[in-house]
Amino acid sequence: MMPKPIVVQVVIDKPLAQGFDYLWDAEKLGKLPEIGNIVEVSFARSKAVGLIIKVSDHSEFDLAKLKSVDRLAPLPVLDPALLRLTNFASQYYVHALGETILPVIPQMWKKADDWEKIPEKLELAEKKSKKKIEVIPEGLITLDQLNGEQKNALQELLAGGAKQNQFRAILLQGQTGSGKTAVFLNWLASILKDESAQVLLLVPEINLTPQLERRVKAYFPDKKMAVLHSGVSEKKRGIAWYEAMTGKAKIILGTRLAALTPMPNLRAIVVDEEHDPSYKQQDGTRYSARDLAIWRAHDQKIPILLSSATPSLETWLAANSSRYEYIRLDQRAQGASLPSVHLINTRDPQNQFSPGDAGAPQQRSLITKTLANAITKSLAENKQCLILINRRGYAPVLSCSACNWLSKCTQCSTYTVMHKAGALGKRSVLSCHHCGLVKPIPQFCPDCGNADLKTLGHGTQKLEDAIEEMWPQARVLRVDTDSSRKSRGAETLFQEIHDGNVDIVVGTQMIAKGHDYQNIGLVAVLDADSRLYSADFRAAERLFAQLVQVAGRAGRSGISGQGGGDIYIETQYPESPVFQYLLRHDVDGFLAFTAGEREEAKLPPYSYQALIHAEGKSLDKAIQFLHELKARMKSRGMITRELKVYDPVPKPVMRVAGSERAQLLIESGNRKALQEALEMIDQELRQDSTGRISKTSRIRWLVERDPIAI
């Protein structure tokens, strides 16, 4: 009797809804297949790495026509919990399973030709890790050093320890500088007493990882830690991922991609700065790492802690309605008071420099007289100053004074930004921050030949020049993606600030988050209004969170008798609710106000949204593609009272890298109704598509669930 064939179904990293059947040769591959095995297969005319999602003894296709699996990766199977998570992510975000799960696997494990060399790499990494590395106890705050409020918070967290194998979602809301990190690290210490336990700690951005990495090592010097983010080399990431999936790494620290890491013994999750929009993936499967972490915790019946000074509206409402546990830290940890908030009305002439003022910068519009006086006073007190302007480069636009020519990008519907020499090369250039186009600055206007070209607006470089002119004795440091790329990385720049080698720091939002500076006396925010008024209904919420975060960098030393520092905000609209609630440090008041506005307008979280993206060589064709989709939805009875479909419109940045883009917004008060509609749309569009490109119109399309920017 002939033995039954072994047929495995494999998914690969392609926008294809189905898996593909292959024969399994147990003698050649050395073992029987399992769901979760990573394999190499022949696909079309090339080789591809895929994942086994099904094992059976039959196929709907002729067995004689099936290809065989070529190779099996030298890896354990992916744990069932991760497979459940990626299955959910695939369905919820309406993305094929293969293109959801395969990008999670590091490149090191997707190069089948190198699989034979991997054991040697792992052995070498193991030897290196056994070398004793001296850990400086930076930021280590033991149980005895916690203040009363922190101890109470920790006790509430530990009280849930008796609830074994039970999902808990906890919001830890605390003022900036209230010691949230010390609380959750001491909580994780209790969980890691179990020798087999693993914990996941998510942070929003790469720039926050090195400082937190040092703190975590100080708390857990004997625990192996895997650090996962896009800034880690492929080899290091591949080894860290392997150590997480085999249970060797007990602490997994990383950005959003770490939320989809295999961890067989996961016991707790912490999402730091849970409100941060960086947790939302903006290409590929557009998942929210925070939301998937919550789903994972629920599925695996473990606790998840969401930590923030300014929680997202969704999380804050869940805590206030008792769906999540709610723990608060309302005082700064070391006794320091909160910073004093000062609003500088830029419409008031008294705040501006007059032509005859001594020491006024040549560019008087860059900085107000009121703020300049405050900086001078702070420097006299030997305090550092932090100045935030959320625009890198020298100037956003170059213009001709004769014919009004503007430095538009030839590939995008935006302007190229002027960068001074040294930032992106040896010469000053115009650079597009959307498509990456870089070109030399013209000596004459391309339209009329005029040599008098002027800059409009200002960025970090121009502000740096003005500050060096006004305070020539001050040591000035610029911190943005340009300067961090030029030096040995952002961490080097931050260390300069911590070491006190800098008097004035000029930077983008990189300087605002999570850094525990000890000698900042003054924080200034310039051009806040550009982020206040926007087509995006979440703009005010994001600006408020950023202002609270940057304000929290001031006065953190905790030295007895010292105040909490000062934050100065330049604005034309001091009466805006964002600034008025900030004056009172009233996070809950602002969130309650925002919730009222959203409920009245039936906007998220009081409704659910999705975007259908379309892009092609012509905006008219992209709009037409979406109009036709809406018409098909209407003809099939999909547009109901429960499901609202808006007319297609160009995207806010309509043209990027030569492609013109449009979007269709779908909204519903019912999550299930929206999900069903999106699945039907996906099926409808796939009928006329190869991958995600329409065969008839050649329009590329994408479904995005829960967009964070409209």
Side-chain angles (χ1 to χ4, degrees), residues 35-36 77-87 262 264 295 299-300:
I35 291 172
V77 295
L78 297 187
D79 67 88
L82 180 71
L83 296 176
R84 291 195 301 271
L85 176 69
T86 48
N87 261 302
W295 192 94
D299 175 63
Q300 296 189 238

Side-chain angles (χ1 to χ4, degrees), residues 88-229:
F88 165 76
S90 168
Q91 292 166 15
Y92 184 80
Y93 293 106
V94 199
H95 236 64
L97 179 57
E99 61 179 344
T100 301
I101 195 166
L102 267 301
V104 172
I105 301 168
Q107 282 298 327
M108 172 175 164
W109 297 100
K110 290 190 286 191
K111 294 177 181 174
D113 290 341
D114 293 343
W115 282 349
E116 291 178 4
K117 305 171 191 172
I118 281 179
E120 187 183 326
K121 289 181 182 178
L122 295 175
E123 190 179 334
L124 190 62
E126 185 67 26
K127 284 179 183 175
K128 283 184 180 178
S129 70
K130 284 180 179 176
K131 290 180 182 177
K132 279 288 180 185
I133 300 170
E134 186 183 354
V135 177
I136 302 166
E138 180 180 327
L140 177 63
I141 298 173
T142 61
L143 195 59
D144 296 337
Q145 294 171 303
L146 297 177
N147 64 26
E149 195 178 43
Q150 288 173 305
K151 285 178 180 175
N152 290 339
L154 181 58
Q155 285 305 314
E156 286 187 60
L157 288 171
L158 295 173
K163 306 172 187 175
Q164 293 294 331
N165 300 318
Q166 185 174 324
F167 168 67
R168 297 172 68 203
I170 310 130
L171 169 59
L172 177 62
Q173 180 181 338
Q175 297 278 5
T176 54
S178 60
K180 298 182 292 296
T181 306
V183 170
F184 67 64
L185 288 178
N186 276 286
W187 174 58
L188 293 179
S190 70
I191 292 165
L192 289 168
K193 285 177 181 175
D194 177 350
E195 289 297 318
S196 66
Q198 292 178 293
V199 297
L200 171 63
L201 178 49
L202 293 176
V203 294
E205 291 189 22
I206 292 170
N207 296 323
L208 299 184
T209 336
Q211 188 180 13
L212 190 57
E213 185 181 344
R214 289 197 300 270
R215 288 194 74 175
V216 174
K217 280 179 178 172
Y219 274 81
F220 310 107
D222 299 325
K223 298 287 183 183
K224 185 179 278 290
M225 178 164 60
V227 179
L228 293 163
H229 56 73

Side-chain angles (χ1 to χ4, degrees), residues 155-373:
Q155 285 305 314
E156 286 187 60
L157 288 171
L158 295 173
K163 306 172 187 175
Q164 293 294 331
N165 300 318
Q166 185 174 324
F167 168 67
R168 297 172 68 203
I170 310 130
L171 169 59
L172 177 62
Q173 180 181 338
Q175 297 278 5
T176 54
S178 60
K180 298 182 292 296
T181 306
V183 170
F184 67 64
L185 288 178
N186 276 286
W187 174 58
L188 293 179
S190 70
I191 292 165
L192 289 168
K193 285 177 181 175
D194 177 350
E195 289 297 318
S196 66
Q198 292 178 293
V199 297
L200 171 63
L201 178 49
L202 293 176
V203 294
E205 291 189 22
I206 292 170
N207 296 323
L208 299 184
T209 336
Q211 188 180 13
L212 190 57
E213 185 181 344
R214 289 197 300 270
R215 288 194 74 175
V216 174
K217 280 179 178 172
Y219 274 81
F220 310 107
D222 299 325
K223 298 287 183 183
K224 185 179 278 290
M225 178 164 60
V227 179
L228 293 163
H229 56 73
S230 58
V232 174
S233 70
E234 280 301 336
K235 180 182 173 184
K236 283 185 178 177
R237 187 188 156 204
I239 291 168
W241 184 83
Y242 174 80
E243 289 174 342
M245 82 172 300
T246 53
K248 288 182 179 179
K250 305 305 179 187
I251 302 160
I252 292 82
L253 169 64
T255 51
R256 61 177 176 263
L257 61 83
L260 293 164
T261 300
M263 290 168 272
N265 303 309
L266 186 60
R267 297 287 184 271
I269 302 173
V270 172
V271 184
D272 198 18
E273 309 292 0
E274 67 83 26
H275 65 279
D276 199 291
S278 301
Y279 283 121
K280 183 74 157 68
Q281 177 85 355
Q282 289 303 308
D283 52 29
T285 308
R286 299 194 174 194
Y287 63 86
S288 162
R290 179 200 63 195
D291 294 351
L292 287 184
I294 294 169
W295 192 94
R296 187 172 192 171
H298 184 270
D299 175 63
Q300 296 189 238
K301 297 181 174 58
I302 59 173
I304 180 168
L305 177 73
L306 307 168
S307 172
S308 178
T310 53
S312 62
L313 193 56
E314 293 82 354
T315 300
W316 185 80
L317 288 169
N320 275 281
S321 64
S322 300
R323 285 196 293 121
Y324 293 175
E325 295 175 40
Y326 200 175
I327 301 174
R328 298 182 64 108
L329 295 173
D330 292 319
Q331 303 296 323
R332 282 190 147 186
Q334 306 302 322
S337 57
L338 289 167
S340 301
V341 180
H342 309 271
L343 301 178
I344 301 173
N345 187 343
T346 54
R347 291 177 296 179
D348 187 344
Q350 291 186 349
N351 289 322
Q352 305 294 347
F353 281 105
S354 300
D357 285 339
Q362 291 179 0
Q363 296 285 343
R364 286 185 172 79
S365 61
L366 289 189
I367 197 164
T368 60
K369 183 178 181 179
T370 306
L371 177 56
N373 291 338

